[in-house]
């Protein structure tokens, strides 16, 4: 079986490429600026804003499965419009598609969100991700839209890197105690995405960790795992910061988890398990 990882040079994308190769799949991956370093994968430059390039890459590779793990932030052309272009091409060429979305599509007004609840974003990034979801599902109803949360792993994870910068004094910031999410380990997320890609699943799926934790508590768990000075982590309140965005968003993954062999571990499990493992530099 063949798979194309769009955004393969990123944090999640690199893990997807690694696992796809380890599983014996013929693996291709795309990059925006420079190719990744995973061996035995073919690398292809791709800009999702370019319809002709999207068509050319997919037509030339003819993958069985496409997983879109790109991250364009609040850039509407990349984050909102790009996935719809990809979905149109995937549907036309008969490729299965898994599009990775985010818990940023929710406002936090309900706190607990299952797959049936409609997006109500409150940030430009959330609005772009919500628009992508709507467009992908409209043009390719058989696609999977997989919402996830904070992705944790080594220091390629922005959340892990922030904790290291705080404890080293390179960043003077705070971690919010009232900003709650369900972090997921990058290896669990990648395995679940591949499992969905090579199944007959369609529609919205939630792929997040089993534990709801604040960003401060997550920082403490990361610091303990990596042997960092927890006393250097400063706590704050997002509600008092003026920073826009949802406070408490917990993805309910129970329905999706019942369909999966992959276990979506909680942060209190995978970070404690990793306490004796060396941290990647």
């Amino acid at each position: 079986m063949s798979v194309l990882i769009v955004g393969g040079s990123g944090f999640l994308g690199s893990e997807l490429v690694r696992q796809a190769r380890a599983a014996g799949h013929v693996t291709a991956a795309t990059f925006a600026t420079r190719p990744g370093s995973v061996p035995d994968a073919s690398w292809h430059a791709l800009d999702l804003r370019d319809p002709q390039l999207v068509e050319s890459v997919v037509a030339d590779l003819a993958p069985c499965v496409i997983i879109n793990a790109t991250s364009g932030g609040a850039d509407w052309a990349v984050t909102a419009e790009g996935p719809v272009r990809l979905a149109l091409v995937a549907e036309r060429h008969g490729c299965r598609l898994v599009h990775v979305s985010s818990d940023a599509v929710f406002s936090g007004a309900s706190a607990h969100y299952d797959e049936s609840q409609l997006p109500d974003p409150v940030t430009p990034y959330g609005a772009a991700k919500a628009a992508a979801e709507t467009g992908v599902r409209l043009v390719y109803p058989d696609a999977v839209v997989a919402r996830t949360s904070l992705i944790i792993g080594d220091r390629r994870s922005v959340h892990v890197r922030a904790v290291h910068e705080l404890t080293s004094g390179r960043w003077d910031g705070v971690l919010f105690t009232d900003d709650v999410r369900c972090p997921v380990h990058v290896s669990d997320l990648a395995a679940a995405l591949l499992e969905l890609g090579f199944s007959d699943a369609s529609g919205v799926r939630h792929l997040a960790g089993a534990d709801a934790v604040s960003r401060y508590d997550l920082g403490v768990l990361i610091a303990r795992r990596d042997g960092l000075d927890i006393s250097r982590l400063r706590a704050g309140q997002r509600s008092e910061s003026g920073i826009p965005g949802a406070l408490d968003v917990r993805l309910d993954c129970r329905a999706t988890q019942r369909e999966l062999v992959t276990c979506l571990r909680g942060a209190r499990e995978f970070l404690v398990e990793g306490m004796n493992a060396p941290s990647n530099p």
Side-chain angles (χ1 to χ4, degrees):
M1 299 289 280
S2 58
V3 59
L4 170 63
I5 310 300
V6 179
S9 58
F11 176 48
L12 173 59
S14 295
E15 180 63 13
L16 282 162
V17 174
R18 187 193 69 78
Q19 290 194 23
R21 285 297 307 130
H25 299 302
V26 176
T27 305
T30 74
F31 63 92
T33 55
R34 60 181 181 274
S37 58
V38 180
D40 300 322
S42 64
W43 292 91
H44 308 267
L46 181 64
D47 185 339
L48 288 179
R49 296 170 296 183
D50 185 337
Q52 291 184 333
L53 187 55
V54 174
E55 171 68 34
S56 174
V57 168
V58 174
D60 289 348
L61 295 172
C64 299
V65 176
I66 300 173
I67 300 179
N68 178 23
T70 55
S71 178
D75 186 326
W76 191 268
V78 175
T79 302
E81 297 174 357
V84 181
R85 292 191 188 94
L86 181 62
L88 284 166
V89 174
E91 194 277 337
R92 186 159 57 246
H93 288 274
C95 311
R96 278 191 51 75
L97 174 66
V98 179
H99 169 70
V100 180
S101 189
S102 167
D103 58 10
V105 301
F106 295 123
S107 69
S110 297
H112 297 271
Y113 292 89
D114 65 22
E115 289 88 343
S116 68
Q117 289 175 268
L118 297 176
D120 60 341
V122 292
T123 64
Y125 172 67
K129 295 298 281 188
E133 285 191 11
T134 300
V136 168
R137 296 185 68 192
L138 177 64
V139 303
Y140 196 173
D142 289 337
V144 173
V145 171
R147 296 180 184 133
T148 191
S149 191
L150 309 182
I151 307 174
I152 308 300
D154 60 22
R155 287 177 66 177
R156 290 195 69 188
S157 164
V158 64
H159 316 290
V160 174
R161 192 162 59 248
V163 173
H164 280 255
E165 291 178 351
L166 279 170
T167 56
S168 68
R170 291 194 299 270
W171 177 46
D172 182 24
V174 299
L175 297 176
F176 298 129
T177 59
D178 59 346
D179 189 330
V180 178
R181 297 294 187 274
C182 295
V184 64
H185 196 279
V186 65
S187 64
D188 296 348
L189 178 57
L193 290 167
L194 286 164
E195 189 176 339
L196 288 171
F198 287 98
S199 73
D200 59 0
S202 63
V204 176
R205 297 292 189 274
H206 282 181
L207 300 176
D211 297 330
V213 297
S214 72
R215 290 186 189 254
Y216 177 79
D217 289 339
L218 176 63
V220 169
L221 289 168
I222 291 169
R224 285 178 178 161
R225 181 197 68 175
D226 294 350
L228 306 175
D229 185 357
I230 295 171
S231 69
R232 301 293 299 271
L233 299 178
R234 293 196 298 125
Q237 295 278 310
R238 183 168 186 164
S239 57
E240 299 174 355
S241 70
I243 298 174
L247 292 179
D248 192 340
V249 177
R250 310 178 190 207
L251 295 183
D252 183 341
C253 304
R254 289 175 295 179
T256 298
Q257 181 65 88
R258 286 193 292 269
E259 301 177 14
L260 296 173
V261 173
T262 303
C263 178
L264 299 167
R265 297 168 295 165
R268 293 187 181 92
E269 180 180 354
F270 65 71
L271 287 171
V272 170
E273 284 178 348
M275 284 180 67
N276 296 320
S279 175
N280 289 346

